């Protein structure tokens, strides 16, 4: 799914290059450029829900197919083919708008949001995905009051068990990313300070090392942003996002540290890197506290209905 937008992009470029007239080539080039811009948003944008996200890839694919349909319609010579391509455009646009704005708002740039707001927004379409597993056909049905009976107790126990299973699966995936965070922070800790009389060639080598750490931290931050999580774990996931963002900022400060020549500026960047690592540890502590609370709250309580009676 993640490579589907690229396939559509290459198809649009080839179709534009194979156009018959100059006008068709120019229009095709403009539309292809718009498709490439959307691909860049998907693969390189920060603080966006579509970044390395399967639902985001689906949205970008729908939008790309809309522009590709325009290219096909322009190139069509007979009326039947042109009408068919117009229908394709309409359906792709309807699919894009329907998913993006009504069911799963995953295409919203969220640079102005806090990490908690990002997690809450990102969790909105998780209920949509879960609804298919519950057999509700994509409809999010709110919880209703259950009768105080043994059947209700049984259903509640099953749901608690399913909630625990989803949280356990999420925690297992999160632990892998947390281990990677620890490895990156250890690498930052072990990064030896620059000598005061370091040569330019040595500085370039150390800068390249710091840049590699920075790139790895950025990629990790994107993976955390796209990690599937249950709706109930939205608050915990926001702390995990905060922790990964601290690692990213620490790695960037380390890279900036290798580029500075002024000792005071170097010290400032080094302190910022250390401060971000401390904030990461605090965010991870809050993450684990939230996870423990979720596990406690979702423990099955089969005697609850009997007590009420």
């Amino acid at each position: 799914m993640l490579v589907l937008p690229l396939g559509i992009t290459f198809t649009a470029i080839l179709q534009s290059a194979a156009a018959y007239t100059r006008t068709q080539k120019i229009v095709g080039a403009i539309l292809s450029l718009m498709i490439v811009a959307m691909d860049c948003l998907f693969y390189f944008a920060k603080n966006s829900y579509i970044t390395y996200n399967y639902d985001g890839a689906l949205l970008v694919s729908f939008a790309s197919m809309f522009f590709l349909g325009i290219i096909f319609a322009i190139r069509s010579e007979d009326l039947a083919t042109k009408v068919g391509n117009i229908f394709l455009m309409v359906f792709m646009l309807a699919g894009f708008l329907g998913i993006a704005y009504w069911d799963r708002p995953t295409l919203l740039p969220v640079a102005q949001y806090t990490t908690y707001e990002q997690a809450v927004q990102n969790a909105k379409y998780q209920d949509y995905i879960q609804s298919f597993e519950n057999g509700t056909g994509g409809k999010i049905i709110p919880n209703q009051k259950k009768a105080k009976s043994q059947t209700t107790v049984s259903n509640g126990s099953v749901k608690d068990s399913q909630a625990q299973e989803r949280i356990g699966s999420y925690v297992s995936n999160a632990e892998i990313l947390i281990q990677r965070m620890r490895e990156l922070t250890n690498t930052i800790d072990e990064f030896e300070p620059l000598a005061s009389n370091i040569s330019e060639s040595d500085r370039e080598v150390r800068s390249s090392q710091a840049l590699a750490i920075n790139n790895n931290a950025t990629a990790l931050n994107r993976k955390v942003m796209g990690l599937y999580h249950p709706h109930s774990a939205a608050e915990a996931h926001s702390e995990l996002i905060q922790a990964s963002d601290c690692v990213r900022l620490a790695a960037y400060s380390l890279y900036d540290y290798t580029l500075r020549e002024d000792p005071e500026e170097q010290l400032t960047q080094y302190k910022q890197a250390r401060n971000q690592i401390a904030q990461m540890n605090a965010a991870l502590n809050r993450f684990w506290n939230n996870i423990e609370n979720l596990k406690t709250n979702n423990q099955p309580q089969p005697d609850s209905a009997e007590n009420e009676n």
Side-chain angles (χ1 to χ4, degrees), residues 25-46:
K25 290 181 182 292
I26 293 175
V27 175
I30 295 174
L31 296 176
S32 298
L33 183 62
M34 297 179 67
I35 296 176
V36 171
M38 290 189 298
D39 289 341
C40 291
L41 177 65
F42 175 69
Y43 288 103
F44 303 111
K46 297 180 180 178

Side-chain angles (χ1 to χ4, degrees), residues 5-200:
L6 292 180
I8 299 175
T9 302
F10 287 125
T11 302
I13 294 175
L14 292 175
Q15 289 294 327
S16 302
Y20 301 110
T21 65
R22 181 179 179 182
T23 302
Q24 293 177 354
K25 290 181 182 292
I26 293 175
V27 175
I30 295 174
L31 296 176
S32 298
L33 183 62
M34 297 179 67
I35 296 176
V36 171
M38 290 189 298
D39 289 341
C40 291
L41 177 65
F42 175 69
Y43 288 103
F44 303 111
K46 297 180 180 178
N47 293 329
S48 174
Y49 296 133
I50 70 170
T51 305
Y52 286 94
N53 185 289
Y54 289 107
D55 299 312
L58 183 63
L59 291 174
V60 174
S61 299
F62 270 117
S64 301
M65 286 297 298
F66 168 73
F67 290 112
L68 183 60
I70 297 178
I71 295 176
F72 282 138
I74 294 175
R75 290 196 55 189
S76 302
E77 295 182 352
D78 57 291
L79 181 61
T81 305
K82 190 179 294 292
V83 171
N85 289 321
I86 291 176
F87 273 110
L88 173 65
M89 294 161 46
V90 173
F91 290 141
M92 293 299 101
L93 182 61
F96 170 80
L97 294 178
I99 294 176
Y101 293 100
W102 287 309
D103 289 330
R104 288 173 287 178
T106 57
L107 194 59
L108 300 176
V110 292
Q112 71 273 23
Y113 295 157
T114 65
T115 54
Y116 176 74
E117 290 171 335
Q118 293 174 24
V120 171
Q121 289 283 352
N122 194 33
K124 283 185 177 180
Y125 65 87
Q126 304 300 341
D127 286 338
Y128 177 88
I129 299 173
Q130 188 62 36
S131 66
F132 288 97
E133 299 179 5
N134 297 335
T136 56
K139 296 180 180 179
I140 303 175
I141 301 177
N143 293 329
Q144 299 177 352
K145 293 183 178 179
K146 304 177 180 63
K148 297 179 180 179
S149 63
Q150 187 62 34
T151 303
T152 301
V153 174
S154 177
N155 291 338
S157 300
V158 171
K159 289 185 178 180
D160 288 340
S161 177
Q162 291 176 346
Q164 284 282 60
E165 184 178 352
R166 288 195 296 269
I167 292 175
S169 177
Y170 165 69
V171 171
S172 297
N173 295 328
E175 285 178 340
I176 298 175
L177 299 178
I178 292 174
Q179 181 180 0
R180 183 57 181 155
M181 291 184 201
R182 299 292 189 189
E183 293 174 355
L184 285 173
T185 53
N186 290 338
T187 304
I188 295 174
D189 286 335
E190 296 171 358
F191 195 87
E192 297 182 358
L194 301 179
S196 58
N197 57 345
I198 187 173
S199 63
E200 288 300 322

